[in-house]
Amino acid sequence: MDGRHDVLIVGAGHGGAQAAIALRQAKFEGSIAIAGDEPEIPYERPPLSKDYLAGEKPFERLLIRPAAFWEERGVAMLTRTCVTRVFAEAHSVETEDGRTLGYGHLVWAAGGRPRRLACEGHDVTGVHTVRTRADVDRMIGELAGTSHAVVVGGGYIGLEAAAVLTKLGKKVTVIEALDRVLARVAGEPLSRFYEAEHRAHGVDVRLDATVDRIEAEGGRVSGVHLVGGEVLACEMVIVGIGIIPAIEPLRAGGAVCSNGVEVDGHCRTSLPDIFAIGDCAAHASDFAGGATIRLESVQNAHDQANVVARTIAGGDDAPYHAVPWFWSNQYDLRLQTVGLSIGFDAAVTRGDPASRSFSVVYLKGGKVVALDCVNAVRDYVQGKALVVGGIAAAPALLADANIPLKEIAAR
């Protein structure tokens, strides 16, 4: 045994960091260690595709807490530590370099790895994903030699990167396999708005388009060959097509897994004394009609970490029940989402998209389940009550931007 900790946290992202912080706030006095496979201590990841890529925020400002914070609270940082095996009965894990670490409780907050293209040329120099500081540093190092970048995937990561690269003066093409951007997470009104915004900024948005292969010259990307034969000459490719949850060590160790490692209301896995939180945890959500889902958001990781800390420390035993929220910054647009639009059967546009300040309200069975708010902070703040309360509201009322949502919630 190369060390033992009362709580071993695997994953140095938002969830892992917050689990350690919350444990100390709950007066947990046992030993805590955070094991992360990167060389850095925990840092914020959402700014990577925005402020950090744009050069507007230095890495030091991304740190969740400075190094001294962790030292003062007795949280050991095991950097460059990749956990590859879990031995639930022995309460230990094995690392990639052959070390064995014991634990009293294990908190699995390993997130996921970027999904990569499976086509020819997917691994040539100049093809990037956006998940870690190292990923974005490589992109930044190639910007000077890049005039045209192709972004594969019209989700939030891809669109955020497209907005930053456009701001940096690059020609950008976005390739989306479906018939609209954001198709998996938003309704058509929001998709069409963002397509128009990106095109207005000079981005070439290609819908119903699929990559056949990546072409290269001298080992570097030189173009993207689309199904149908067209070749887009470029010096950089950014792939933003989702993540694969990092759960294989738990699955191999006997944990019940589906699209993630399955957890109960207190984020317990099926293995003794092992919890899972964040992007890799599949949990039943009241905001998804009780369906088991994974949520890739800072809010989810943060709030699940708090539940785990309270459970381990023996405090409040309330199960996880936090309304989901998300955000995205593109150009001068601030998108704030509350709730989950999964399975919605009606979408009401509130305000005029042409004004670049509006909301889309999603309903299911007549009840409000989510809102997408573009430069509409008041709707976002007031709309939360509609989502949490599952309040039924007439579409005509919701569409009238002159009626505050708080009034509708109070009716």
Short mmCIF file of all heavy atoms in Angstrom, two decimals, residues 268-312:
data_model
loop_
_atom_site.label_atom_id
_atom_site.label_comp_id
_atom_site.label_asym_id
_atom_site.label_seq_id
_atom_site.Cartn_x
_atom_site.Cartn_y
_atom_site.Cartn_z
N ARG A 268 -24.59 7.42 -4.15
CA ARG A 268 -23.90 6.16 -3.88
C ARG A 268 -23.97 5.27 -5.11
O ARG A 268 -25.04 5.13 -5.72
CB ARG A 268 -24.54 5.41 -2.71
CG ARG A 268 -24.56 6.13 -1.37
CD ARG A 268 -25.13 5.19 -0.32
NE ARG A 268 -25.35 5.84 0.96
CZ ARG A 268 -26.51 6.37 1.34
NH1 ARG A 268 -27.55 6.34 0.51
NH2 ARG A 268 -26.64 6.95 2.53
N THR A 269 -22.87 4.62 -5.45
CA THR A 269 -22.89 3.60 -6.49
C THR A 269 -23.35 2.28 -5.87
O THR A 269 -23.63 2.22 -4.67
CB THR A 269 -21.50 3.41 -7.11
OG1 THR A 269 -20.64 2.77 -6.15
CG2 THR A 269 -20.88 4.75 -7.52
N SER A 270 -23.37 1.23 -6.67
CA SER A 270 -23.75 -0.08 -6.14
C SER A 270 -22.62 -0.74 -5.36
O SER A 270 -22.81 -1.79 -4.75
CB SER A 270 -24.17 -1.00 -7.29
OG SER A 270 -23.10 -1.16 -8.22
N LEU A 271 -21.44 -0.12 -5.35
CA LEU A 271 -20.29 -0.66 -4.62
C LEU A 271 -20.20 0.00 -3.25
O LEU A 271 -20.48 1.20 -3.11
CB LEU A 271 -19.00 -0.42 -5.41
CG LEU A 271 -18.93 -1.07 -6.80
CD1 LEU A 271 -17.65 -0.67 -7.51
CD2 LEU A 271 -19.04 -2.59 -6.69
N PRO A 272 -19.78 -0.73 -2.22
CA PRO A 272 -19.74 -0.19 -0.86
C PRO A 272 -18.77 0.98 -0.72
O PRO A 272 -17.63 0.90 -1.19
CB PRO A 272 -19.31 -1.38 0.00
CG PRO A 272 -18.61 -2.31 -0.95
CD PRO A 272 -19.32 -2.15 -2.26
N ASP A 273 -19.25 2.05 -0.09
CA ASP A 273 -18.42 3.22 0.24
C ASP A 273 -17.85 3.92 -0.98
O ASP A 273 -16.84 4.62 -0.89
CB ASP A 273 -17.28 2.81 1.19
CG ASP A 273 -17.79 2.28 2.51
OD1 ASP A 273 -18.76 2.84 3.05
OD2 ASP A 273 -17.24 1.26 3.00
N ILE A 274 -18.49 3.74 -2.14
CA ILE A 274 -18.05 4.42 -3.36
C ILE A 274 -19.20 5.29 -3.88
O ILE A 274 -20.31 4.82 -4.11
CB ILE A 274 -17.61 3.44 -4.45
CG1 ILE A 274 -16.41 2.60 -3.97
CG2 ILE A 274 -17.24 4.20 -5.73
CD1 ILE A 274 -15.89 1.62 -5.00
N PHE A 275 -18.90 6.58 -4.05
CA PHE A 275 -19.84 7.55 -4.58
C PHE A 275 -19.37 7.99 -5.97
O PHE A 275 -18.19 7.87 -6.30
CB PHE A 275 -19.92 8.78 -3.68
CG PHE A 275 -20.34 8.50 -2.26
CD1 PHE A 275 -19.44 8.01 -1.32
CD2 PHE A 275 -21.65 8.74 -1.87
CE1 PHE A 275 -19.84 7.75 -0.01
CE2 PHE A 275 -22.06 8.49 -0.56
CZ PHE A 275 -21.15 8.00 0.37
N ALA A 276 -20.30 8.53 -6.75
CA ALA A 276 -19.93 9.10 -8.05
C ALA A 276 -20.71 10.39 -8.26
O ALA A 276 -21.90 10.48 -7.91
CB ALA A 276 -20.19 8.12 -9.18
N ILE A 277 -20.05 11.40 -8.82
CA ILE A 277 -20.67 12.71 -9.02
C ILE A 277 -20.24 13.30 -10.35
O ILE A 277 -19.25 12.89 -10.95
CB ILE A 277 -20.28 13.69 -7.89
CG1 ILE A 277 -18.75 13.89 -7.84
CG2 ILE A 277 -20.79 13.20 -6.54
CD1 ILE A 277 -18.29 14.91 -6.79
N GLY A 278 -21.02 14.27 -10.82
CA GLY A 278 -20.64 15.03 -12.00
C GLY A 278 -20.97 14.36 -13.32
O GLY A 278 -21.93 13.58 -13.43
N ASP A 279 -20.16 14.66 -14.33
CA ASP A 279 -20.42 14.24 -15.70
C ASP A 279 -20.56 12.73 -15.88
O ASP A 279 -21.19 12.28 -16.82
CB ASP A 279 -19.29 14.72 -16.62
CG ASP A 279 -19.24 16.23 -16.76
OD1 ASP A 279 -20.07 16.91 -16.14
OD2 ASP A 279 -18.37 16.72 -17.50
N CYS A 280 -19.93 11.96 -15.00
CA CYS A 280 -19.92 10.50 -15.17
C CYS A 280 -21.03 9.79 -14.42
O CYS A 280 -21.21 8.58 -14.55
CB CYS A 280 -18.57 9.92 -14.76
SG CYS A 280 -18.18 10.15 -13.01
N ALA A 281 -21.81 10.52 -13.61
CA ALA A 281 -22.82 9.90 -12.73
C ALA A 281 -24.20 9.92 -13.38
O ALA A 281 -24.69 10.98 -13.79
CB ALA A 281 -22.86 10.61 -11.39
N ALA A 282 -24.83 8.75 -13.46
CA ALA A 282 -26.18 8.64 -14.00
C ALA A 282 -27.16 8.58 -12.83
O ALA A 282 -27.09 7.66 -12.01
CB ALA A 282 -26.31 7.40 -14.87
N HIS A 283 -28.05 9.55 -12.75
CA HIS A 283 -28.96 9.63 -11.61
C HIS A 283 -30.38 9.88 -12.08
O HIS A 283 -30.61 10.43 -13.17
CB HIS A 283 -28.53 10.77 -10.67
CG HIS A 283 -28.65 12.13 -11.28
ND1 HIS A 283 -27.75 12.62 -12.20
CD2 HIS A 283 -29.58 13.12 -11.10
CE1 HIS A 283 -28.10 13.84 -12.56
NE2 HIS A 283 -29.21 14.16 -11.92
N ALA A 284 -31.34 9.48 -11.28
CA ALA A 284 -32.74 9.73 -11.58
C ALA A 284 -33.06 11.18 -11.25
O ALA A 284 -32.78 11.65 -10.14
CB ALA A 284 -33.64 8.79 -10.77
N SER A 285 -33.62 11.90 -12.20
CA SER A 285 -33.89 13.33 -12.01
C SER A 285 -35.38 13.62 -12.10
O SER A 285 -36.04 13.29 -13.08
CB SER A 285 -33.15 14.15 -13.08
OG SER A 285 -33.54 15.51 -13.03
N ASP A 286 -35.89 14.29 -11.06
CA ASP A 286 -37.28 14.73 -11.09
C ASP A 286 -37.51 15.73 -12.21
O ASP A 286 -38.62 15.86 -12.72
CB ASP A 286 -37.65 15.37 -9.75
CG ASP A 286 -37.70 14.36 -8.61
OD1 ASP A 286 -37.86 13.16 -8.90
OD2 ASP A 286 -37.57 14.77 -7.44
N PHE A 287 -36.46 16.43 -12.60
CA PHE A 287 -36.59 17.45 -13.65
C PHE A 287 -36.53 16.83 -15.05
O PHE A 287 -36.64 17.55 -16.04
CB PHE A 287 -35.51 18.52 -13.48
CG PHE A 287 -35.66 19.27 -12.18
CD1 PHE A 287 -34.90 18.92 -11.07
CD2 PHE A 287 -36.58 20.29 -12.06
CE1 PHE A 287 -35.06 19.59 -9.87
CE2 PHE A 287 -36.75 20.97 -10.86
CZ PHE A 287 -35.98 20.62 -9.76
N ALA A 288 -36.35 15.51 -15.09
CA ALA A 288 -36.42 14.77 -16.36
C ALA A 288 -37.52 13.72 -16.27
O ALA A 288 -37.45 12.68 -16.92
CB ALA A 288 -35.07 14.12 -16.66
N GLY A 289 -38.50 14.00 -15.43
CA GLY A 289 -39.62 13.08 -15.28
C GLY A 289 -39.26 11.78 -14.61
O GLY A 289 -39.93 10.76 -14.80
N GLY A 290 -38.19 11.80 -13.80
CA GLY A 290 -37.75 10.60 -13.10
C GLY A 290 -36.82 9.73 -13.91
O GLY A 290 -36.36 8.69 -13.42
N ALA A 291 -36.52 10.12 -15.14
CA ALA A 291 -35.61 9.34 -15.99
C ALA A 291 -34.19 9.40 -15.44
O ALA A 291 -33.80 10.36 -14.78
CB ALA A 291 -35.64 9.86 -17.42
N THR A 292 -33.41 8.37 -15.74
CA THR A 292 -32.00 8.34 -15.35
C THR A 292 -31.18 9.04 -16.42
O THR A 292 -31.21 8.65 -17.59
CB THR A 292 -31.51 6.90 -15.17
OG1 THR A 292 -32.25 6.30 -14.09
CG2 THR A 292 -30.03 6.87 -14.82
N ILE A 293 -30.46 10.07 -16.02
CA ILE A 293 -29.72 10.89 -16.98
C ILE A 293 -28.33 11.21 -16.44
O ILE A 293 -28.05 11.02 -15.25
CB ILE A 293 -30.45 12.23 -17.26
CG1 ILE A 293 -30.60 13.02 -15.95
CG2 ILE A 293 -31.81 11.98 -17.90
CD1 ILE A 293 -31.11 14.43 -16.15
N ARG A 294 -27.47 11.66 -17.32
CA ARG A 294 -26.20 12.28 -16.94
C ARG A 294 -26.30 13.76 -17.26
O ARG A 294 -26.80 14.13 -18.31
CB ARG A 294 -25.02 11.69 -17.71
CG ARG A 294 -24.51 10.38 -17.23
CD ARG A 294 -23.16 10.03 -17.87
NE ARG A 294 -23.13 10.17 -19.30
CZ ARG A 294 -22.49 11.14 -19.97
NH1 ARG A 294 -21.82 12.08 -19.30
NH2 ARG A 294 -22.51 11.18 -21.28
N LEU A 295 -25.79 14.60 -16.38
CA LEU A 295 -25.79 16.03 -16.63
C LEU A 295 -24.35 16.53 -16.67
O LEU A 295 -23.61 16.35 -15.71
CB LEU A 295 -26.55 16.78 -15.53
CG LEU A 295 -28.07 16.77 -15.60
CD1 LEU A 295 -28.65 17.60 -14.47
CD2 LEU A 295 -28.56 17.30 -16.94
N GLU A 296 -23.98 17.14 -17.77
CA GLU A 296 -22.63 17.66 -17.92
C GLU A 296 -22.67 19.16 -17.63
O GLU A 296 -22.78 19.98 -18.53
CB GLU A 296 -22.10 17.37 -19.32
CG GLU A 296 -22.01 15.87 -19.62
CD GLU A 296 -21.70 15.56 -21.07
OE1 GLU A 296 -21.30 16.50 -21.81
OE2 GLU A 296 -21.87 14.40 -21.48
N SER A 297 -22.61 19.49 -16.34
CA SER A 297 -22.66 20.90 -15.95
C SER A 297 -21.92 21.09 -14.64
O SER A 297 -21.85 20.18 -13.80
CB SER A 297 -24.11 21.37 -15.80
OG SER A 297 -24.69 20.90 -14.60
N VAL A 298 -21.41 22.29 -14.45
CA VAL A 298 -20.75 22.65 -13.20
C VAL A 298 -21.74 22.57 -12.05
O VAL A 298 -21.42 22.08 -10.96
CB VAL A 298 -20.14 24.05 -13.30
CG1 VAL A 298 -19.63 24.52 -11.94
CG2 VAL A 298 -19.00 24.07 -14.32
N GLN A 299 -22.97 23.06 -12.28
CA GLN A 299 -23.98 23.04 -11.22
C GLN A 299 -24.21 21.64 -10.69
O GLN A 299 -24.25 21.40 -9.48
CB GLN A 299 -25.28 23.63 -11.75
CG GLN A 299 -26.49 23.40 -10.85
CD GLN A 299 -27.20 22.08 -11.15
OE1 GLN A 299 -27.34 21.68 -12.30
NE2 GLN A 299 -27.64 21.39 -10.11
N ASN A 300 -24.37 20.69 -11.60
CA ASN A 300 -24.65 19.32 -11.19
C ASN A 300 -23.49 18.75 -10.38
O ASN A 300 -23.68 18.15 -9.32
CB ASN A 300 -24.91 18.47 -12.43
CG ASN A 300 -25.18 17.02 -12.11
OD1 ASN A 300 -26.13 16.69 -11.42
ND2 ASN A 300 -24.33 16.14 -12.61
N ALA A 301 -22.27 18.94 -10.87
CA ALA A 301 -21.10 18.42 -10.16
C ALA A 301 -20.98 19.05 -8.77
O ALA A 301 -20.70 18.37 -7.78
CB ALA A 301 -19.84 18.69 -10.98
N HIS A 302 -21.19 20.35 -8.71
CA HIS A 302 -21.07 21.09 -7.44
C HIS A 302 -22.11 20.63 -6.43
O HIS A 302 -21.78 20.32 -5.27
CB HIS A 302 -21.24 22.58 -7.74
CG HIS A 302 -21.00 23.48 -6.58
ND1 HIS A 302 -21.95 23.73 -5.62
CD2 HIS A 302 -19.90 24.22 -6.24
CE1 HIS A 302 -21.46 24.58 -4.73
NE2 HIS A 302 -20.23 24.89 -5.08
N ASP A 303 -23.36 20.54 -6.86
CA ASP A 303 -24.43 20.19 -5.93
C ASP A 303 -24.37 18.72 -5.51
O ASP A 303 -24.67 18.38 -4.35
CB ASP A 303 -25.79 20.51 -6.54
CG ASP A 303 -26.04 22.02 -6.63
OD1 ASP A 303 -25.36 22.76 -5.91
OD2 ASP A 303 -26.89 22.44 -7.42
N GLN A 304 -23.99 17.84 -6.41
CA GLN A 304 -23.82 16.44 -6.03
C GLN A 304 -22.66 16.29 -5.04
O GLN A 304 -22.73 15.47 -4.12
CB GLN A 304 -23.60 15.57 -7.26
CG GLN A 304 -24.86 15.35 -8.09
CD GLN A 304 -24.65 14.36 -9.21
OE1 GLN A 304 -23.57 14.24 -9.77
NE2 GLN A 304 -25.71 13.64 -9.56
N ALA A 305 -21.61 17.07 -5.23
CA ALA A 305 -20.48 17.03 -4.30
C ALA A 305 -20.92 17.41 -2.89
O ALA A 305 -20.49 16.80 -1.90
CB ALA A 305 -19.37 17.97 -4.77
N ASN A 306 -21.80 18.39 -2.78
CA ASN A 306 -22.30 18.80 -1.47
C ASN A 306 -23.11 17.68 -0.81
O ASN A 306 -23.00 17.47 0.41
CB ASN A 306 -23.17 20.05 -1.61
CG ASN A 306 -22.36 21.29 -1.95
OD1 ASN A 306 -21.15 21.34 -1.71
ND2 ASN A 306 -23.01 22.29 -2.52
N VAL A 307 -23.91 16.98 -1.60
CA VAL A 307 -24.69 15.86 -1.06
C VAL A 307 -23.77 14.77 -0.53
O VAL A 307 -23.97 14.24 0.57
CB VAL A 307 -25.64 15.30 -2.14
CG1 VAL A 307 -26.26 13.97 -1.67
CG2 VAL A 307 -26.75 16.30 -2.46
N VAL A 308 -22.75 14.44 -1.29
CA VAL A 308 -21.81 13.40 -0.88
C VAL A 308 -21.07 13.80 0.39
O VAL A 308 -20.90 12.99 1.32
CB VAL A 308 -20.80 13.09 -2.01
CG1 VAL A 308 -19.65 12.24 -1.50
CG2 VAL A 308 -21.51 12.38 -3.16
N ALA A 309 -20.63 15.04 0.46
CA ALA A 309 -19.90 15.51 1.65
C ALA A 309 -20.77 15.41 2.89
O ALA A 309 -20.31 14.96 3.95
CB ALA A 309 -19.43 16.94 1.43
N ARG A 310 -22.03 15.82 2.78
CA ARG A 310 -22.92 15.74 3.94
C ARG A 310 -23.17 14.28 4.34
O ARG A 310 -23.25 13.96 5.53
CB ARG A 310 -24.25 16.43 3.63
CG ARG A 310 -24.15 17.95 3.50
CD ARG A 310 -25.52 18.60 3.55
NE ARG A 310 -26.39 18.14 2.46
CZ ARG A 310 -26.54 18.77 1.31
NH1 ARG A 310 -25.83 19.87 1.06
NH2 ARG A 310 -27.37 18.31 0.40
N THR A 311 -23.28 13.42 3.34
CA THR A 311 -23.52 12.00 3.63
C THR A 311 -22.32 11.38 4.35
O THR A 311 -22.47 10.68 5.35
CB THR A 311 -23.80 11.23 2.32
OG1 THR A 311 -24.94 11.80 1.66
CG2 THR A 311 -24.08 9.76 2.60
N ILE A 312 -21.12 11.65 3.86
CA ILE A 312 -19.92 11.10 4.48
C ILE A 312 -19.70 11.68 5.87
O ILE A 312 -19.32 10.96 6.81
CB ILE A 312 -18.69 11.36 3.58
CG1 ILE A 312 -18.79 10.55 2.28
CG2 ILE A 312 -17.39 11.02 4.32
CD1 ILE A 312 -17.70 10.85 1.28
#
